[in-house]
Amino acid sequence: MTDKAKNILAEVFGYSEFRSHQRKIIENVLQKRHTLVIMPTGGGKSLCYQIPALIFEGLTIVVSPLISLMKDQVEQLTELGVSALFLNSSLSGEEYSRNVELLKKKEVKLLYLAPETLLTQRTLSLLSSLQIDCMAIDEAHCISEWGHDFRPEYRKLAGVRTHFPSATCIALTATATLRVREDIKSSLGFDVSNEFIASFNRQNLYLNITPKDKPVSQTIDFLSGHSGESGIIYCFSRKQVDKLYEILQDGGYSVRPYHAGLSDKERAVNQELFIKDDVQIIVATIAFGMGINKPNVRFVIHFDLPKNIETYYQEIGRAGRDGLKAECVLLFGYGDIRKIKYFINQKSEDEQLVANIHLNALLQFAETSVCRRRPLLNYFGEDYQIEKCDMCDNCLAGDKELADITVLAQKFLSCVKRTNEMFGINHIIDILRGSQSQKIYNFEHEKLSTYGIGKDYSGKQWFHLARQFINNGLMIQDAKYGSLKLTEKAYDVFKGTEKVFGMIEEEDLRQVKQQKREVENDYDRVLFEKLRIMRKELADKAGVPPYIIFPDKTLIEMSTHYPRSDESLFYIHGVGTVKHKKYGAYFLDIINSYLEQKIANNVS
């Protein structure tokens, strides 16, 4: 079976080797073992069920939460000559009926469905007459109430599996902590031995977190160094999306907005323009991107703070899916924390507890002075101990000079103690800065000796300091109510036996630090541009995004190795039998003409 899988990998998908864990996962599925796959975005999860689907005699069902993801996957598979289709509300009555007939005739290998569609009696009745060999549950973290994107209908999938007792189940996700993984396995009844966890480390992503001061100026500064590149800018609210979109559009950028306040048609058009490289930049809320497999996204900017690490990881995961370097910038402002806290406080007590735990983990990641990958990957249970990754702002910044902030720590910790460890960060800051808020007077905190002793520093600077005191183990913060409690280490600071070193936030404008990216390969950029134009023409003619014809990585390899024959073209990444037959001649003609012209110019 492994030889058959290897042949399909090369002939259908055009890849010469399996990536991390893929071979073992495919073998496990083919042996009819229920399988949990945790693999980062862009790590090749889809092949783990697509290749078995082409080997199994019957049908493979793929449960996916978004129509855009289904459409994208079906388009890619169809271009590869694989019989795949979807059933969802985007189809007309005629299209729906035609797809049902193809299923009944057993002419389909992969069927994509939303969980809501699968749960209907109509769909279950249809599938009961077919041989179902495999059920793939994509975005499986939606099953868990501890996940960042829990969906009740996903929880019901465990019951649906009883309708297909002979089908192997494979659950896949890119974002799952240990607790979420245990919840998924428990819900689906999976054996613990059939769990495959690839590294969460996306080595090609440059992680950069910079203080948020003048975010519009910072964003435009960044974009000026990334002309012509595809990117996504995430904002917290629809209002912010619209505002930033208008500013960038007025500035001449190729940009479109995306959020739930737009009509379905507007969202679909803007997404399609972005996917087809007709628009370079999307400014969006978190409503955008899930299930979009656009491999040449070269940057992701978080204009506002995301709600948790899972959301952040998932969103930066939309960059660099082709394996080439991409940049991920987060503008980190403490004002954003207040926005998130406001929405957390609207939740139930249990939901507040989970949300605060998630938020605090994100803040620890944002405020760390060590390699960014250490807290990020450790959050997902991966033991990452490399000192320097050389692909994050902290590692490239060199050793930072830390100031002695012992006196500031003593002031803050003393204020926590004098208020009986009952209040949160913001109230302590208000006391230190001599605020005249009603809350101060209600508790008579204007009478404390610490009242007004911190006026020399801004609220933002004190907040940054307070987070460092927590990260240094001087205080702990109650996850439910946010109140601060002193640790034993804090008393050593009071006594002067423990020094505290850290960073004092500067108040001046911070520019986004630009990462000087190395050239990916020493490839011929003139030829690459010619191939890119041909790809776009073929894509527009076929009505599909350019990356479905060939990804950038394929064109870069062509522009590096100059394949001139049918045989040599097969050695290029992503060129399988079907695509070679469909498109090979177009690209070979361009390469040969280009090289002949170069030779003629050199001779003359």
Side-chain angles (χ1 to χ4, degrees):
M1 283 295 193
T2 304
D3 289 341
K4 197 167 185 179
K6 187 76 185 293
N7 289 337
I8 291 171
L9 180 75
E11 292 178 14
V12 177
F13 295 96
Y15 304 140
S16 58
E17 296 292 337
F18 285 111
R19 293 164 77 173
S20 172
H21 291 72
Q22 283 179 333
R23 181 191 294 275
K24 289 182 179 179
I25 293 167
I26 290 168
E27 286 175 353
N28 208 57
V29 173
L30 290 173
Q31 289 168 10
K32 289 286 186 174
R33 294 175 182 156
H34 302 317
T35 307
L36 174 62
V37 176
I38 313 296
M39 192 177 281
T41 305
K45 291 189 295 296
S46 300
L47 286 181
C48 295
Y49 57 80
Q50 288 172 348
I51 288 178
L54 298 181
I55 296 174
F56 284 137
E57 184 180 332
L59 179 69
T60 291
I61 299 169
V62 184
V63 181
S64 174
L66 288 180
I67 289 173
S68 57
L69 185 143
M70 300 180 208
K71 184 173 180 289
D72 184 83
Q73 296 250 330
V74 169
E75 279 182 347
Q76 289 191 61
L77 289 168
T78 302
E79 274 297 311
L80 293 168
V82 176
S83 55
L85 52 80
F86 55 79
L87 294 177
N88 60 40
S89 58
S90 72
L91 297 172
S92 66
E94 185 181 337
E95 289 170 326
Y96 200 98
S97 298
R98 185 170 65 247
N99 285 356
V100 168
E101 284 305 308
L102 289 171
L103 284 166
K104 288 179 178 177
K105 290 177 183 177
K106 300 180 181 178
E107 294 180 9
V108 181
K109 295 303 291 181
L110 290 112
L111 170 64
Y112 287 77
L113 297 163
E116 298 89 347
T117 305
L118 178 57
L119 290 164
T120 64
Q121 194 54 50
R122 176 188 182 187
T123 304
L124 291 173
S125 177
L126 167 66
L127 296 176
S128 66
S129 62
L130 304 174
Q131 179 181 334
I132 311 299
D133 280 334
C134 184
M135 178 176 171
I137 302 174
D138 205 3
E139 309 294 347
H141 59 271
C142 295
I143 289 172
S144 174
E145 291 179 277
W146 280 94
H148 67 287
D149 194 22
F150 171 61
R151 301 186 181 208
E153 63 273 16
Y154 255 74
R155 203 76 166 175
K156 298 173 185 175
L157 293 176
V160 173
R161 287 180 54 213
T162 60
H163 292 265
F164 317 113
S166 61
T168 307
C169 186
I170 174 172
L172 312 98
T173 179
T175 50
T177 60
L178 176 60
R179 188 165 197 167
V180 171
R181 295 201 299 270
E182 294 302 321
D183 205 6
I184 294 170
K185 287 183 289 188
S186 173
S187 299
L188 295 175
F190 279 13
D191 190 311
V192 70
S193 63
N194 294 314
E195 178 181 55
F196 296 86
I197 304 173
S199 172
F200 284 87
N201 187 17
R202 295 283 307 282
Q203 295 180 15
N204 62 316
L205 300 186
Y206 172 69
L207 308 180
N208 180 5
I209 298 180
T210 195
K212 182 178 185 177
D213 190 351
K214 295 182 179 177
V216 173
S217 298
Q218 289 172 293
T219 300
I220 290 172
D221 285 345
F222 178 87
L223 294 177
S224 66
H226 296 262
S227 177
E229 294 184 357
S230 283
I232 305 170
I233 304 173
Y234 284 108
C235 299
F236 187 77
S237 68
R238 302 175 191 179
K239 184 179 178 181
Q240 184 61 68
V241 167
D242 290 335
K243 184 178 176 182
L244 184 58
Y245 157 65
E246 288 171 8
I247 291 170
L248 294 179
Q249 187 185 46
D250 291 344
Y253 289 93
S254 173
V255 61
R256 287 290 188 279
Y258 190 102
H259 58 68
L262 300 174
S263 68
D264 290 347
K265 184 178 180 181
E266 283 178 293
R267 288 201 305 275
V269 167
N270 291 349
Q271 180 172 295
E272 196 75 1
L273 287 170
F274 180 67
I275 288 172
K276 291 188 174 180
D277 285 346
D278 292 318
V279 163
Q280 296 299 318
I281 302 166
I282 284 284
V283 184
T285 58
I286 59 169
F288 180 78
M290 191 172 173
I292 303 300
N293 186 27
K294 180 177 166 64
N296 66 331
V297 174
R298 295 271 67 85
F299 64 85
V300 168
I301 298 174
H302 279 93
F303 192 86
D304 299 310
L305 191 67
K307 291 183 293 185
N308 50 55
I309 285 186
E310 286 98 329
T311 299
Y312 170 78
Y313 183 81
Q314 191 173 60
E315 288 169 356
I316 64 170
R318 285 155 197 159
R321 291 190 177 197
D322 52 11
L324 306 179
K325 288 182 182 175
E327 296 186 44
C328 306
V329 174
L330 168 57
L331 301 179
F332 182 47
Y334 289 103
D336 291 343
I337 299 171
R338 285 193 290 273
K339 292 181 197 172
I340 295 174
K341 280 280 191 182
Y342 172 80
F343 285 101
I344 288 175
N345 291 336
Q346 313 306 309
K347 298 174 180 285
S348 68
E349 283 197 11
D350 288 344
E351 288 174 325
Q352 283 186 40
L353 178 63
V354 175
N356 278 315
I357 290 170
H358 286 170
L359 176 60
N360 286 330
L362 177 67
L363 295 180
Q364 287 175 14
F365 162 68
E367 293 162 340
T368 188
S369 58
V370 301
C371 172
R372 297 272 178 213
R373 279 169 167 76
R374 287 174 67 181
L376 180 63
L377 301 181
N378 290 347
Y379 177 81
F380 291 106
E382 185 171 336
D383 185 23
Y384 184 87
Q385 295 298 335
I386 294 173
E387 289 295 323
K388 289 187 71 175
C389 69
D390 290 327
M391 276 294 284
C392 77
D393 56 330
N394 283 348
C395 287
L396 292 182
D399 295 330
K400 295 177 181 176
E401 277 193 40
L402 299 180
D404 186 339
I405 55 174
T406 306
V407 173
L408 296 175
Q410 288 170 335
K411 289 180 179 181
F412 196 97
L413 299 172
S414 176
C415 197
V416 172
K417 182 67 177 173
R418 290 173 192 279
T419 53
N420 299 314
E421 302 177 60
M422 292 173 58
F423 296 89
I425 292 175
N426 290 325
H427 187 70
I428 300 299
I429 292 171
D430 283 346
I431 296 171
L432 291 168
R433 299 194 70 246
S435 168
Q436 296 183 26
S437 70
Q438 190 59 49
K439 187 177 178 182
I440 295 285
Y441 292 115
N442 286 347
F443 288 98
E444 297 187 342
H445 286 163
E446 79 283 4
K447 297 177 181 178
L448 295 175
S449 60
T450 51
Y451 181 74
I453 64 172
K455 288 181 178 178
D456 291 343
Y457 294 91
S458 69
K460 187 169 77 170
Q461 288 174 312
W462 273 118
F463 197 100
H464 184 237
L465 287 164
R467 292 299 314 171
Q468 291 178 77
F469 301 151
I470 292 172
N471 292 339
N472 287 334
L474 305 179
M475 311 182 293
I476 56 173
Q477 188 171 28
D478 183 85
K480 191 170 185 179
Y481 300 108
S483 56
L484 300 169
K485 313 290 181 187
L486 302 183
T487 65
E488 287 299 318
K489 194 174 176 182
Y491 291 95
D492 292 332
V493 174
F494 283 140
K495 297 171 192 172
T497 58
E498 178 85 24
K499 289 279 189 183
V500 185
F501 294 91
M503 302 284 290
I504 299 175
E505 188 73 39
E506 295 177 18
E507 285 295 292
D508 59 343
L509 171 66
R510 300 290 191 90
Q511 288 191 340
V512 177
K513 296 186 289 292
Q514 294 279 359
Q515 154 75 343
K516 291 182 179 178
R517 289 186 292 156
E518 298 173 5
V519 176
E520 301 293 346
N521 287 295
D522 189 16
Y523 64 93
D524 190 323
R525 281 168 169 70
V526 176
L527 176 57
F528 175 83
E529 188 60 26
K530 290 178 180 292
L531 297 174
R532 197 176 70 83
I533 292 168
M534 172 54 70
R535 178 181 67 177
K536 180 69 172 140
E537 288 177 7
L538 293 170
D540 288 346
K541 188 175 179 181
V544 297
Y547 64 79
I548 284 182
I549 305 297
F550 286 126
D552 280 4
K553 190 171 182 179
T554 300
L555 302 192
I556 285 174
E557 284 200 14
M558 289 181 183
S559 305
T560 303
H561 301 295
Y562 303 113
R564 302 194 66 174
S565 66
D566 286 332
E567 184 182 0
S568 61
L569 197 60
F570 273 118
Y571 289 99
I572 299 296
H573 170 90
V575 181
T577 305
V578 173
K579 287 195 176 181
H580 186 289
K581 187 176 180 180
K582 272 188 179 181
Y583 306 120
Y586 294 104
F587 291 92
L588 285 174
D589 282 349
I590 289 174
I591 294 166
N592 285 317
S593 297
Y594 174 74
L595 292 176
E596 286 164 11
Q597 186 63 47
K598 278 190 80 170
I599 292 168
N601 290 341
N602 288 336
V603 169
S604 61

